[in-house]
Amino acid sequence: MTRHGLPGLAALLVGLAAVTGRGTGAAPQTVDPAKLDTGARIYGSLCTTCHGPDGDAIPAVNLKTGQYKRELTDLDLMTVISKGVPGTAMPANNLSNNELFALIAYLHVMKDYGARRVVLGDAGRGRAIFEGKAQCLSCHRVNQQGAYLGPDLTTAGASFSAAMFQDTLLDPSSTAKPGNRTIRAVTKTGEVVTGRRLNEDTWSVQIMDSRERLVSLWKPDLKEYAILGSPMPSYKDSLSAEERSDLIAYLVTLTPPPAAQGRGRGAAR
Amino acid sequence: MRRRTLVILLGVLALAGAALDAQVGWDRLRNARREPQNWMTYSGTLDGWRHSSLTQITPANAKDLEMKWVFQADSTEKLESSPLVVDGVMYVTQPPNDIIALDAKTGRVFWIYQYQVAPDARVCCGRINRGLAILGNTLFMGTIDAHLVAVDAKNGRLLWNTKIATAADGYAIAMAPLVVKDKVIVGTAGGEQGIIGFVAAFDAKTGKEAWRFNTIPGPGEPGHETWPGDTWEHGAGSLWVTGTYDPDLNLTYWGVGNPGPDWNPDVRKGDNLYTCSALALDPDTGELKWHFQFTPNDGMDWDSAQVPVLVDMTWDGAPRKLMLWANRNGFFYVLDRVTGRFVRGAPFVRQNWAAGLDENGRPIRLINTRVSAEGVLTYPNAQGGTNWFSPSWSPRTGLFYVGAWKEASALASSVPVEFVPGRGYTGGSPSTKMPNIRRPTINTWTEQAGHGEILALDPRTGKEKWAFVMHDVTDAGILTTASDVLFSGSREGYFMALDARTGAVLWKALTSGQISSGPISYEVDGKQYVAISAYHAVFAFGLR
C-alpha cells in the first residue's frame, strides 16, 4: 500500500479471504503451514520488541484475542502494519503483499500456533464439571458468576489454546502468569494479608485480598512480604482424563460473542 | 531632543548588550560548569558528567521538595527528551519532533515548533527524540526522518533544514546533537535496519555538511577486513546517544551501536569494526584518532550507546585523563582517553559470556556462548547491563553512578535473514523473561525476570559502593549535585532523591509515568529546580 503499490481492493479482499477465511462469509480455508511459519518469523523479527512474544505487551492491545484500540478489519490491519499509526510508536513496515498476508494469517492463529493437539470432550459435561465437581467458580469468574480471587475466565478461550488449558489443569504453576501470583504479607501490627497480586513497585503492592477487596499495601509498613506460587490445585488426580477433556472442551468455548469482536472488549490486565 | 535621543540610544545599546549576553556562544558551552543556573547541553557539561554544581537542595532538606509545575505534552508517545535551560527558558522536545520553549519557572509555553515528519520514516523502536543542542540563538534537532534542523530559539522559526540520510532506508536521528565550536555533530540511528552508520558534522550557520565518518569501514579503509564479503554493506553501527568533548585534547567521543544483523553473528564472522566501540574523533576534520571495541562480533544487540564520561583522576600516583564506561555488555571500563588504551575493567552485573577481559580489554569469550540457531541463555539480556540512559559522575564522592539491570537473561537465537533496504534486519530475537521495552503500567513480574538497581561504582576497584534496589527495571538517567544529592527515576513512575554517598532514600514523588530520560537541574530567580520527563509530561520540582 505504500512503496510496493498494493493491488486493488477487490484483489486484496480475495487474497485475504483465501488466507484467513474472513471477510467474505466463506468457510475458513486451510492455511499453508509454511505461510504461518513465515508469518511467525516476521512477527518475531518485527513485532515482538513492542508487542511482546504473547502479543499482549501494549496496553489495550492483545494480538492473540484480536483486541485492538479500535475495530480493525483485515484490510485495516494491513494498513496499520504497512503504514504505521501516526502519533503512536507503531512504525510503518516495508512488507510485500505475501508477507503481509502471512503475518495476518499468523496473527489469527497465534494463540494455537505451535500448540499440540488435545482431544476435546463434551463441552456441556465440561461446564457441569466446571461449576460442580471441580469448584472452579470458587476462585474464577465466568459471565459475572463466581469469585474474583483468580483470573476472570469469561473470554479465556480466545487467549489460550486447549494445550495450554491441559497443562494448567495438570500443573498450574507451569503456566501461571506472573500476574496471578499470590502474596502473603504480615503488617507491623501482626495482621496477615493474602491475596492475588495485581501490581507491584518498589514501595507498594496492590492486591485482590482473600475477602475480594482491592487493597494497596505500603511495603515499609510490612514486617514480612513474600510472593508465592499459583494457589490453583492440580486436577491430575481429582479429575479423570475424560473429565479433564470435557472441561477443556468447555473452556475453549469461552470466547466473546461475535457482536463484541473488536469492540468494547477491554480486558482487565 | 538630544538628551532623549541619547537616552534611547543608550537603551538600545543596553538591549543589544543583553541580547548579546543571551547568546549561547561556544565559550559559554565550553565553560558550562561556570553557569550552574543553566543546563545548556545534553549532559549539562561537555564531559558527560550530568552533575550540577547547585547546592540549594541538600540531603537534609530534600524531603521538602514539591512539584512546582507540570507540562503535559501533546503526544501519546513516551518522552525521552533531556531538556535544555538557558537563562530561564526551557527547551524540550515532544514526539515525534516538536520543540517547545517554556518558562522554566512556571512551565507556561512561549512557542511550539512542529516539524512535519516525512511518511517514509522507519524507526525501529518508537518515534524517539532525546533533545536539542543550542549555539548562539539557534536550536538544533535531529529528526526521525534523518534531517537536521536549525530553529530560532527566540521564536521557533525554522532557519535551515538539511537532509542527512535517506529515511526510507532506515536512517533516523534520535540523539540530541552535540555542538563543538562552530559545528553541530550528530550520528544516525537505524541499527536494526542494516544501515551504514555515521557521525557527521554540519556548519551551525548554514547546515552544510563539514565531514562524515562512516562507522563501517568501506573497501580499502582500515577495519574493512573485519567484515567478510559484502556484509559490511549492511553492517549497522548506528549512533543514538550524544557524545562528549575534551577541549584540551580537542577530541570528541562517541559510542557506536550493534552490528547488523543483530542476533546472527555467524554471517559476519570477524570483529565487525567499529560496531560496539568507543570512537575518538577530531571535531574539526572527523579524523579517527583511536577506537576501542567493547564487544567484537556482538550477537546480543549490545550497543555501546552510552555517554562517554570524561574524568581526570590520579591513577597509580599520576594524573590521568580517563574515560568511564559502564557498557551494555555488562562490564564497567576505565579507558585512557588520550590513547584509547584499556586501563581496567570488571563486570558490574551478572554475565556469563566472557571469562573476563585480557590485558588489552578484549573479552575472553567462553566457548558455547555464541548466539546460534539453537539459542543460548545469556546474561545480561539484550537490553544489557545498562543501556542508553545517562550515568553520572560526582567529583565530590569520586563515584560513577549508573542505572543497571540485574539478573536479567535472554535466550537469544539466530534465524536467517535477507537484507531488504528499510526493513528490519535483526536475524533473530531474544526470548526473554523481562518486561517489554514499553511495558504497561501494571507490573506483576517476579524476581526471576531481573530488576533494576542504581549502582554507585568506584572506578578504582570497579566495586559497588552501594546499590539501590528497585522492583522493576529502569530506563532513567541519573543526576548528581554538588550537595551530594542523586536524582533518578524508575519505570514505575517514581522520581526520587537519594543520598549520593550512601544510597539512602531522601525523597520520592510518583509521576505515574514511566521515566525514560535523564534529570536536569537549573536555577531561576535564586531557586533551584530539578526537572524530569516522565512518559507524556515534564515535571519540575523545587523546595517548598
Side-chain angles (χ1 to χ4, degrees):
Chain A
M1 214 162 288
T2 50
R3 287 157 55 77
H4 287 279
L6 296 182
L9 188 64
L12 260 181
L13 289 174
V14 170
L16 271 176
V19 171
T20 68
R22 291 189 185 188
T24 62
Q29 298 176 22
T30 306
V31 179
D32 175 6
K35 192 180 282 289
L36 289 179
D37 290 345
T38 302
R41 198 160 55 241
I42 295 168
Y43 184 87
S45 68
L46 292 185
C47 313
T48 42
T49 305
C50 295
H51 285 280
D54 292 325
D56 61 353
I58 305 245
V61 175
N62 187 329
L63 303 181
K64 276 189 181 174
T65 62
Q67 183 199 342
Y68 302 103
K69 289 183 178 173
R70 62 183 173 88
E71 192 169 2
L72 294 177
T73 64
D74 284 346
L75 192 60
D76 295 333
L77 262 182
M78 291 185 74
T79 308
V80 166
I81 294 167
S82 57
K83 288 192 166 179
V85 182
T88 75
M90 177 74 193
N93 290 284
N94 188 5
L95 295 174
S96 70
N97 290 352
N98 282 341
E99 288 169 324
L100 271 173
F101 291 151
L103 179 56
I104 291 169
Y106 169 73
L107 291 178
H108 286 312
V109 301
M110 194 173 167
K111 146 178 101 69
D112 295 306
Y113 181 75
R116 304 178 311 284
R117 292 266 170 252
V118 171
V119 177
L120 299 181
D122 181 89
R125 284 202 304 267
R127 179 173 178 169
I129 295 166
F130 186 87
E131 294 172 356
K133 183 177 179 183
Q135 296 182 26
C136 302
L137 290 173
S138 63
C139 287
H140 294 285
R141 202 164 169 81
V142 171
N143 293 325
Q144 299 178 60
Q145 301 293 315
Y148 288 99
L149 300 177
D152 191 314
L153 300 179
T154 302
T155 60
S159 301
F160 302 111
S161 64
M164 181 92 165
F165 284 124
Q166 178 163 279
D167 291 345
T168 306
L169 289 171
L170 293 173
D171 181 8
S173 60
S174 69
T175 59
K177 289 198 161 188
N180 298 329
R181 297 290 187 92
T182 301
I183 66 105
R184 181 182 184 279
V186 182
T187 66
K188 281 186 177 160
T189 58
E191 187 192 354
V192 177
V193 184
T194 60
R196 180 158 63 98
R197 193 174 60 136
L198 303 178
N199 189 12
E200 181 172 356
D201 65 46
T202 303
W203 282 286
S204 74
V205 58
Q206 289 70 43
I207 63 168
M208 170 72 70
D209 80 358
S210 53
R211 291 160 65 188
E212 301 194 336
R213 297 176 307 182
L214 293 169
V215 172
S216 190
L217 301 172
W218 194 241
K219 288 182 181 175
D221 295 339
L222 301 177
K223 204 160 57 179
E224 291 176 31
Y225 175 69
I227 302 169
L228 311 173
S230 168
M232 179 168 157
S234 166
Y235 288 91
K236 191 173 175 207
D237 300 322
S238 54
L239 293 181
S240 69
E242 291 73 23
E243 287 170 322
R244 285 197 300 270
S245 148
D246 292 340
L247 189 50
I248 294 166
Y250 169 62
L251 289 168
V252 297
T253 68
L254 296 177
T255 54
Q261 286 286 347
R263 189 181 299 152
R265 293 196 293 117
R269 298 174 61 88
Chain B
M1 280 298 279
R2 263 217 221 125
R3 181 172 293 175
R4 197 172 159 196
T5 306
L6 183 64
V7 169
I8 290 170
L9 186 62
L10 285 173
V12 168
L13 285 173
L15 279 174
L20 282 175
D21 284 346
Q23 297 250 342
V24 184
W26 168 240
D27 278 350
R28 285 183 72 184
L29 293 176
R30 181 180 164 158
N31 299 305
R33 190 155 284 117
R34 291 183 196 157
E35 299 182 39
Q37 73 276 18
N38 290 323
W39 193 274
M40 299 186 290
T41 65
Y42 180 72
S43 297
T45 47
L46 294 170
D47 48 22
W49 289 7
R50 202 168 279 272
H51 176 82
S52 170
S53 306
L54 296 175
T55 56
Q56 198 174 83
I57 300 166
T58 67
N61 65 18
K63 65 181 186 309
D64 296 325
L65 283 164
E66 64 176 13
M67 194 181 84
K68 294 299 182 185
W69 54 260
V70 59
F71 169 75
Q72 296 274 1
D74 184 17
S75 171
T76 57
E77 295 167 81
K78 180 164 54 95
L79 270 66
E80 294 192 3
S81 183
S82 179
L84 302 182
V85 175
V86 180
D87 303 332
V89 179
M90 176 180 287
Y91 302 99
V92 66
T93 63
Q94 68 183 11
N97 283 120
D98 297 348
I99 304 175
I100 299 138
L102 49 79
D103 179 5
K105 191 174 163 182
T106 63
R108 298 301 295 170
V109 173
F110 294 118
W111 54 257
I112 298 179
Y113 164 76
Q114 292 184 300
Y115 175 81
Q116 297 299 311
V117 175
D120 56 0
R122 307 233 177 276
V123 290
C124 77
C125 320
R127 305 197 301 173
I128 303 296
N129 180 274
R130 301 203 169 84
L132 304 159
I134 191 167
L135 181 67
N137 267 338
T138 306
L139 296 163
F140 305 95
M141 173 176 66
T143 70
I144 58 164
D145 56 2
H147 285 234
L148 181 65
V149 295
V151 168
D152 189 318
K154 295 287 184 191
N155 62 10
R157 194 171 71 84
L158 181 70
L159 300 176
W160 51 257
N161 174 352
T162 299
K163 177 185 171 183
I164 65 176
T166 303
D169 289 342
Y171 291 85
I173 313 299
M175 67 166 70
L178 177 74
V179 164
V180 177
K181 303 177 199 175
D182 58 352
K183 294 186 178 64
V184 187
I185 308 177
V186 289
T188 180
E192 275 64 58
Q193 278 105 337
I195 60 159
I196 291 183
F198 62 82
V199 192
F202 300 84
D203 182 277
K205 284 212 160 46
T206 64
K208 187 165 177 278
E209 185 169 319
W211 54 258
R212 180 175 295 223
F213 177 81
N214 284 336
T215 58
I216 309 298
E221 293 179 314
H224 182 70
E225 70 284 356
T226 64
W227 295 91
D230 59 4
T231 55
W232 67 278
E233 292 176 359
H234 324 302
S238 59
L239 291 103
W240 42 284
V241 169
T242 309
T244 50
Y245 175 68
D246 182 331
D248 296 332
L249 298 172
N250 192 35
L251 285 178
T252 180
Y253 302 98
W254 299 84
V256 185
N258 61 277
D262 303 40
W263 290 286
N264 203 337
D266 279 347
V267 304
R268 45 174 170 75
K269 282 181 178 157
D271 281 0
N272 307 142
L273 290 173
Y274 297 97
T275 63
C276 302
S277 299
L279 303 179
L281 300 173
D282 182 321
D284 302 319
T285 63
E287 185 193 347
L288 178 69
K289 293 295 183 182
W290 58 255
H291 78 275
F292 177 87
Q293 190 174 41
F294 299 98
T295 317
N297 192 233
D298 166 48
M300 280 298 290
D301 193 21
W302 285 331
D303 298 73
S304 291
Q306 292 86 41
V307 175
V309 176
L310 316 182
V311 172
D312 293 344
M313 286 177 73
T314 302
W315 195 273
D316 292 337
R320 291 285 291 271
K321 284 180 165 295
L322 302 173
M323 175 185 285
L324 308 182
W325 201 306
N327 195 276
R328 193 162 161 177
N329 71 9
F331 284 83
F332 174 43
Y333 297 80
V334 180
L335 304 179
D336 182 320
R337 72 173 185 274
V338 181
T339 62
R341 286 205 190 94
F342 173 72
V343 176
R344 70 169 310 284
F348 66 101
V349 294
R350 178 173 173 184
Q351 66 83 25
N352 69 349
W353 63 281
L357 304 175
D358 71 14
E359 70 277 10
N360 296 315
R362 187 182 174 89
I364 304 160
R365 268 189 189 277
L366 292 166
I367 53 168
N368 301 328
T369 63
R370 279 180 72 81
V371 178
S372 62
E374 292 74 38
V376 58
L377 184 71
T378 308
Y379 288 84
N381 76 353
Q383 291 297 315
T386 186
N387 206 314
W388 62 272
F389 28 92
S390 293
S392 180
W393 162 258
S394 169
R396 286 175 51 88
T397 60
L399 296 172
F400 178 86
Y401 303 91
V402 63
W405 287 30
K406 285 285 189 81
E407 298 298 319
S409 64
L411 186 68
S413 51
S414 308
V415 295
V417 60
E418 183 192 347
F419 176 76
V420 179
R423 283 267 296 275
Y425 186 60
T426 56
S429 65
S431 154
T432 177
K433 293 175 183 169
M434 291 304 297
N436 192 267
I437 291 177
R438 267 169 286 285
R439 189 189 55 69
T441 310
I442 287 179
N443 180 24
T444 51
W445 292 86
T446 63
E447 64 287 351
Q448 293 151 342
H451 64 273
E453 294 188 10
I454 296 171
L455 303 180
L457 299 175
D458 184 341
R460 288 184 173 80
T461 61
K463 296 260 178 3
E464 285 177 17
K465 175 87 183 223
W466 55 257
F468 173 75
V469 179
M470 290 180 262
H471 179 76
D472 203 344
V473 292
T474 177
D475 309 287
I478 295 173
L479 165 77
T480 55
T481 73
S483 48
D484 295 331
V485 182
L486 178 152
F487 290 93
S488 191
S490 69
R491 275 204 181 184
E492 301 156 346
Y494 288 103
F495 183 57
M496 56 254 185
L498 309 182
D499 189 317
R501 298 162 299 191
T502 63
V505 180
L506 304 170
W507 166 87
K508 64 184 173 301
L510 186 61
T511 68
S512 282
Q514 177 176 331
I515 294 179
S516 303
S517 63
I520 66 160
S521 192
Y522 60 94
E523 190 179 87
V524 186
D525 294 343
K527 195 165 183 67
Q528 184 183 358
Y529 296 80
V530 182
I532 185 77
S533 301
Y535 213 9
H536 311 141
V538 182
F539 293 81
F541 298 92
L543 293 173
R544 282 195 186 93

